[in-house]
Amino acid sequence: MDKILELENVTKEYKNFKLDNISFSLEKGYIMGLVGPNGSGKTTTIKLIMNLLSKNSGEIKVFGLDNSLDEKAIKERIGFVYDDNIYPLGLKLSKIALLIAPFYKTWNQELFNQYMKKFQLDPQSSLEKLSKGMKTKFAIVMALSHKPDLIIMDEPTSGLDPIFRRELLEMLQEIIEDGNCSVLFSSHITSDLEKIADYITFMDKGRVVLSDTYVNIVENYRLVKASEEIIKKERNKFLSYRCNSFGGEGLCKNWHSLQNEYPDKIVLEKPTIEDIMYYISKREEVEC
Ligand SMILES: Nc1ncnc2c1ncn2[C@@H]1O[C@H](COP(=O)(O)OP(=O)(O)OP(=O)(O)O)[C@@H](O)[C@H]1O
């Protein structure tokens, strides 16, 4: 399969934080969600991919090319939505498009006009007069109007209303339908990822804890509810767990063995992305 994006053993060190030897990859035609608690390293990872930061070690390839040596060729093919506004606030939206378009050989003014209409943005408005959500919408229009092969978005849905969020997710799915475009996006809104992500990469404290297809993740893990006694006895089988006066609950990968051993004494549930994120982030501070 064609790898659109490959990170191998990438490390970036700040004074108080280390993005530690992370690896994951994304194939052509798929959507990957990047999730993790605040400060886990999602934005740092995205900035490294975009070569806005330099790595300490490791390799980042986009479209099979080195992300820093071939930066210009790569960026022409990426639609990037940053978590903050990057365009000059005082300019009209149409003027911004006019300034940015020449940087992309594949810029499609017709498509820009269509998206502006669809997203109900007035080309004659100046950027500073837009609300936070409208600015994000404009950033998305700019990212999509040059028909990118890879869309990278850092928290694109956070300031958007639920209706537009749903429309955006549907649009992303339509865009990747022909199999030529891939999407990497970070989000705290895990229900958005559950709707459209083919792959999920979980980050925690600067590490990639899990990166797999959404289907595999949801099939391979179970939330196990049982008595405190069972949970404590089987503690090694849990990624992490918590107990209270009513019993215990934990996230378990090898849940079949528990099911066989305690068929009538435990309850198994498929976890949500949020459940998995919670238990992954709590795995070093078990409460029992
Ligand atoms: N320029 C910088 N100098 C020093 N430390 C930094 C810098 N930028 C980010 N960090 C630190 O790197 C860590 C990871 O930050 P990052 O923004 O990548 O996390 P995140 O997962 O995107 O978080 P959030 O979900 O809150 O957006 C944090 O501890 C942050 O303080």
Side-chain angles (χ1 to χ4, degrees), residues 14-15 45 54 60 104 162 167 206 217 263 284:
Y14 287 127
K15 194 161 170 250
T45 302
S54 52
I60 301 177
Y104 297 101
E167 280 171 8
I217 289 170
E284 281 151 18

Side-chain angles (χ1 to χ4, degrees), residues 191-208:
S191 56
D192 284 353
L193 299 172
E194 277 159 357
K195 284 196 187 95
I196 63 160
D198 303 296
Y199 288 83
I200 307 274
T201 295
F202 287 90
M203 297 193 68
D204 187 38
K205 301 183 183 81
R207 295 192 174 173
V208 168

Side-chain angles (χ1 to χ4, degrees), residues 14-17 36-45 83 155 188:
Y14 287 127
K15 194 161 170 250
N16 295 313
F17 177 81
N38 291 128
S40 54
K42 302 178 297 297
T43 297
T44 305
T45 302
D83 66 347
E155 288 281 339
H188 287 295

